[in-house]
Amino acid sequence: MVKDLSVTLSGVRLDNPVIPASGTFGFGQEFTPYYDINILGSLSFKGTTREARFGNPTPRIAECPAGMLNSVGLQNPGVEHVLQDELPRLRSIFHKPIIANISGFSVEDYVYAVERLTEAEQVAILEINISCPNVHGGGMAFGTSCEAAAAITAAVKKVATKPVYIKLSPNVTDIVSIARACEDAGADGLSLINTLLGMRIDLQRRRPVLANVMGGYSGPGVFPVAVRMVYQVTGAVKIPVIGMGGVTTARDVIEMMMAGARAVQVGAANLVNPTACRDIIEALPGEMEKLHIDRLSDIQRI
Ligand code: SIN
């Protein structure tokens, strides 16, 4: 029997649940030499801010067992450039709904970027990143308090014309209370988890490997933490959740969905293997067959 991989997020139908995670896929261009990216369910583009950002000083990547640290610092060309240059170029290579990942340093920043991106035709979902661990005075600062998370959610909901998904940080004591605060403030969905705050030390230099000292850990090492948090959050909220964190295989996608995720983002795996998302999508029917699953959307939270 032909397997049905389709899923629906807030009324947006995706051919399959596999979405490259923001910051690991740029605006799609770098991956087109490797495969036709139209196989993807969607893609979440690089976190975009009101103004262009150069990002953090280098080194800003450190390899780790079972993953990597990044401290990119939201390098991006700014919302106007994204609208004028990146999105038209993306539209010429990718013909499906996209997710706009948006960051900021104040409520006004988020509102401005949402007002600009919500009208972009191809943008189907606005993913509001309140969980970047690599910047000061913004990013994760909004995602570690219920009040701040709710304030951002309510403010962007007032101007958004597309579904709003809030991207949550794992660097909190109680992710469920943050998730509930976002739901109560009107979020249409949630994305989780962003990276875990980590650090490496260069033994010869006796200095941190990263110029910014700390960074976000991602990769297969975080997968069990991500599954646990997705399971906890989906047990507590009614809105859909996009699960992510160390997803590397088709079986990981199915495991995330059994934890309650409606769709799944793939991040660090794209940096190890540029065809990771395609490989996962192509492997899904075979894994579904082994598990007697005909439709991915039939998967129930365990
Ligand atoms: C970064 O650009 O520093 C990473 C973005 C994030 O972790 O949210």
Side-chain angles (χ1 to χ4, degrees):
M1 179 179 175
V2 177
K3 301 296 180 188
D4 181 353
L5 274 60
S6 66
V7 296
T8 303
L9 291 171
S10 305
V12 180
R13 185 188 176 281
L14 308 183
D15 292 340
N16 65 70
V18 179
I19 305 166
S22 176
T24 66
F25 212 76
F27 292 84
Q29 305 293 335
E30 292 84 353
F31 290 80
T32 56
Y34 298 100
Y35 65 100
D36 179 358
I37 64 171
N38 286 289
I39 194 173
L40 302 169
S42 178
L43 74 81
S44 178
F45 63 65
K46 176 61 189 166
T48 296
T49 51
R50 183 175 185 155
E51 308 296 342
R53 287 179 54 80
F54 190 69
N56 288 336
T58 57
R60 50 191 190 182
I61 298 287
E63 290 192 30
C64 308
M68 59 177 277
L69 287 178
N70 93 81
S71 181
V72 171
L74 295 174
Q75 179 181 346
N76 80 94
V79 70
E80 299 310 328
H81 181 94
V82 166
L83 280 164
Q84 272 152 43
D85 287 19
E86 299 294 352
L87 294 192
R89 283 206 300 152
L90 176 56
R91 197 178 174 77
S92 71
I93 57 165
F94 186 61
H95 315 303
K96 290 185 171 180
I98 58 171
I99 300 178
N101 185 286
I102 294 167
S103 268
F105 295 83
S106 65
V107 174
E108 293 72 30
D109 280 355
Y110 281 97
V111 167
Y112 182 87
V114 167
E115 276 177 325
R116 297 295 291 125
L117 285 164
T118 195
E119 297 301 343
E121 202 184 334
Q122 201 177 359
V123 168
I125 289 176
L126 302 154
E127 184 174 61
I128 310 301
N129 183 0
I130 57 168
S131 47
C132 175
N134 302 327
V135 292
H136 298 290
M140 193 172 87
F142 293 112
T144 48
S145 115
C146 291
E147 292 73 22
I152 297 278
T153 306
V156 300
K157 273 297 288 180
K158 279 196 188 126
V159 295
T161 57
K162 309 272 172 70
V164 168
Y165 280 53
I166 308 293
K167 185 166 177 179
L168 301 185
S169 173
N171 303 303
V172 292
T173 315
D174 178 12
I175 195 167
V176 167
S177 60
I178 309 272
R180 282 202 179 112
C182 295
E183 181 179 45
D184 291 347
D188 299 288
L190 301 168
S191 295
L192 63 129
I193 58 174
N194 204 322
T195 53
L196 282 159
L197 193 60
M199 176 175 173
R200 296 301 307 270
I201 295 171
D202 181 324
L203 301 187
Q204 297 297 336
R205 293 166 60 239
R206 300 184 186 215
R207 294 170 64 94
V209 172
L210 295 174
N212 203 38
V213 182
M214 296 173 213
Y217 180 48
S218 61
V222 311
F223 182 66
V225 178
V227 170
R228 184 265 291 180
M229 288 188 159
V230 167
Y231 179 73
Q232 286 179 310
V233 166
T234 53
V237 301
K238 293 194 172 58
I239 52 180
V241 166
I242 305 176
M244 71 198 75
V247 173
T248 310
T249 66
R251 290 182 77 83
D252 293 345
V253 170
I254 293 170
E255 189 169 339
M256 267 295 181
M257 295 183 79
M258 287 185 179
R262 187 79 62 85
V264 177
Q265 292 188 7
V266 176
N270 294 307
L271 308 180
V272 179
N273 168 18
T275 63
C277 285
R278 183 197 67 188
D279 298 349
I280 290 171
I281 294 163
E282 288 178 349
L284 270 169
E287 294 302 334
M288 290 165 68
E289 181 66 26
K290 286 183 208 158
L291 294 162
H292 313 293
I293 298 167
D294 290 332
R295 282 189 294 264
L296 278 183
S297 59
D298 283 347
I299 295 177
Q300 299 288 321
R301 179 177 176 274
I302 58 160

